[in-house]
Amino acid sequence: RRSNADVASSSSLSILVANTHLFYHPRASHIRVMQLWITCYSLMKLKQQASADATTTTIILCGDLNSSQVSGGYQLLKNRHVPPLTMMNNDDDSSN
């Protein structure tokens, strides 16, 4: 039977936790997409650095995204790209 010390020394785990509060304005979906892209890019760079010392690195992104499931920001997080028309639509504008 392996002890906890054996498990810790045989595998290295890292967790990166980020918290954000994206800009809110009904007609600023493009700003939120840019903010999320910068956040994701920065987290991937940090993950690369952490992966040099860890076998597994997990990213947890928390926060107020001020976005809906049809928004460009949500699409960026879910699909790793934003459909072109999504950037032109104010899809987070609940007043439409």
Side-chain angles (χ1 to χ4, degrees), residues 7-92:
V7 173
S9 65
S10 66
S11 65
S12 177
L13 306 175
S14 291
I15 299 173
L16 297 175
V17 180
N19 187 34
T20 188
H21 187 173
L22 301 183
F23 180 69
Y24 178 77
H25 188 279
R27 301 209 181 271
S29 182
H30 61 292
I31 300 297
R32 288 184 289 280
V33 169
M34 289 188 297
Q35 288 177 314
L36 275 174
W37 188 90
I38 292 167
T39 300
C40 290
Y41 180 82
S42 298
L43 286 171
M44 293 309 293
K45 288 297 210 183
L46 288 170
K47 182 178 180 175
Q48 289 173 349
Q49 293 172 1
S51 294
D53 299 325
T55 56
T56 303
T57 303
T58 300
I59 297 174
I60 300 172
L61 177 61
C62 310
D64 183 349
L65 304 181
N66 284 314
S67 300
S68 67
Q69 291 182 345
V70 297
S71 69
Y74 180 84
Q75 295 302 312
L76 177 66
L77 292 176
K78 182 180 175 195
N79 302 319
R80 293 186 152 194
H81 76 277
V82 180
L85 291 178
T86 306
M87 287 296 292
M88 300 304 291
N89 296 331
N90 292 305
D91 44 24
D92 294 330

